[in-house]
Amino acid sequence: EGGLTEADAKNALRKAEAEVLAERNGLPTAKAGDLLLSDLAEAYLAEQGRRVCPAHFVGLRNRIKTVLADARIVKAKDVRPEAIEDWLNRLENEGRSARTVNTYLQAIKGLLAWAVQRRKLPFNPLDSVSKRSEVEKVRNRRALSDEELGRLLAASLEGPARRMARAYKGGLIPLTMQAGFADQGRRNALIVYMLVQTGLRVNELRSLTWGDLDLDAGVLHCRARWTKNKKDESLPLHPSLVTTLRTWQAKTGGAAERRVVTLPMTFLKSFNDDLVAAGLATETRNPKTKKREICK
């Protein structure tokens, strides 16, 4: 009594034969649940490392590592939709944005989808887990007053020296670095003034050449790819901006194919700092990320 019956023996034999046949055909078997997720992750990341840029790879690796550790996932059978949902909910409750939460979900789902594609797992257990809704914050936009614009331009002019003084914490700044502060400040102020007066986006201004401008006529020729109706248009320039651009052209050279102004990759970070200095935004520090955040 309680021993292995003939029916049990036949079922066990059929199951073993089916698993052997599946393995011969490259299909996943019931043993897939015992696969270590760390091993699958290692193989997956090895492939991804050859396909994506280094920065993306590091982020992907860190997110997968975080999910496996925090959700206590060791084997494939440990990946349960309800457990992952609970973990994602905890992230949101800690103040993480929906976009950030979704990057973790996408990382682990990508790993599992790859495992299914490589016939290591029979299915993706997280197919039923949906992304968090990413509702963008609505900001009320308004034009700057002349007084506010003046404060912002002044803050932009002084920005390079102000940021460097903060970085050196009151220490002596090398003269070789100080020499460039004035030029950097004038460039940043011009960028801000052009953005305000023309309505161009940062990337559009970054590609603007002197050939796009007719200072004699006081006109900016907008390229079709910039406009909403996808047609070339002409935008009148404010007389004060024309005067400023003439001065800048005389200083930097005005060949038609030359960029009007070079925008550093850190411009937006500097711009946010100038907004705070001008009293047009406030700065807070996120207790979770320890990073500075700007509230306009």
Side-chain angles (χ1 to χ4, degrees):
E1 292 184 6
L4 185 67
T5 66
E6 182 178 355
D8 291 335
K10 289 182 178 180
N11 287 334
L13 179 60
R14 281 196 294 267
K15 182 178 179 181
E17 290 175 343
E19 289 184 353
V20 170
L21 181 60
E23 288 179 350
R24 287 178 179 175
N25 292 329
L27 297 173
T29 70
K31 298 177 183 177
D34 293 325
L35 290 175
L36 295 176
L37 257 293
S38 57
D39 291 343
L40 290 178
E42 184 178 352
Y44 172 63
L45 290 170
E47 281 196 22
Q48 294 300 306
R50 297 189 291 269
R51 298 178 178 177
V52 301
C53 69
H56 180 82
F57 173 79
V58 172
L60 178 64
R61 181 188 62 195
N62 291 342
R63 284 189 286 271
I64 290 176
K65 182 178 179 180
T66 298
V67 175
L68 297 185
D70 289 0
R72 299 180 180 180
I73 297 173
V74 178
K75 297 182 178 181
K77 61 186 177 183
D78 298 329
V79 184
R80 297 178 294 107
E82 59 274 17
I84 295 298
E85 288 275 15
D86 288 343
W87 182 72
L88 297 176
N89 289 336
R90 288 203 301 273
L91 288 184
E92 287 190 305
N93 293 335
E94 291 172 1
R96 304 293 184 88
S97 68
R99 179 172 297 182
T100 298
V101 173
N102 286 335
T103 61
Y104 287 102
L105 177 59
Q106 184 177 355
I108 188 64
K109 289 182 76 170
L111 164 60
L112 296 171
W114 169 87
V116 173
Q117 186 180 41
R118 292 294 183 274
R119 306 173 86 97
K120 297 177 183 295
L121 294 178
F123 63 93
N124 187 338
L126 298 184
D127 276 343
S128 61
V129 180
S130 302
K131 293 172 59 178
R132 268 42 181 174
S133 176
E134 298 180 13
V135 180
E136 295 186 0
K137 295 180 180 179
V138 177
R139 293 191 177 120
N140 294 322
R141 300 180 181 275
R142 62 176 180 84
L144 295 176
S145 67
D146 291 342
E147 188 270 338
E148 288 173 329
L149 178 58
R151 285 173 16 217
L152 179 56
L153 293 176
S156 298
L157 284 168
E158 301 165 357
R162 183 181 63 252
R163 284 184 284 276
M164 194 55 62
R166 188 165 59 225
Y168 273 74
K169 299 180 179 179
L172 183 63
I173 302 174
L175 292 177
T176 53
M177 298 181 65
Q178 295 183 38
F181 290 164
D183 286 340
Q184 294 171 27
R186 282 192 289 269
R187 176 203 61 199
N188 290 352
L190 174 63
I191 292 171
V192 171
Y193 196 38
M194 291 189 69
L195 290 172
V196 171
Q197 292 288 359
T198 65
L200 292 177
R201 301 179 181 88
V202 170
N203 285 336
E204 294 167 350
L205 182 56
R206 182 174 278 119
S207 62
L208 186 72
T209 66
W210 289 109
D212 296 318
L213 296 171
D214 185 345
L215 298 183
D216 292 331
V219 170
L220 163 63
H221 299 292
C222 297
R223 305 177 194 178
R225 68 173 181 272
W226 296 350
T227 61
K228 291 183 178 180
N229 60 9
K230 302 305 178 183
K231 295 181 180 180
D232 291 334
E233 293 183 354
S234 295
L235 175 71
L237 299 175
H238 193 280
S240 63
L241 178 57
V242 173
T243 301
T244 302
L245 286 171
R246 285 191 186 280
T247 303
W248 184 256
Q249 186 180 39
K251 179 179 177 61
T252 61
E257 70 280 0
R258 187 183 180 91
R259 301 286 174 84
V260 174
V261 63
T262 301
L263 274 76
M265 298 306 296
T266 57
F267 170 73
L268 289 178
K269 183 177 180 180
S270 300
F271 177 65
N272 283 334
D273 182 70
D274 294 337
L275 284 171
V276 173
L280 300 175
T282 57
E283 180 184 73
T284 60
R285 188 172 292 274
N286 190 316
K288 299 295 182 182
T289 64
K290 307 301 183 183
K291 293 182 179 179
R292 298 161 60 201
E293 294 183 350
I294 304 299
C295 300
K296 300 182 180 64

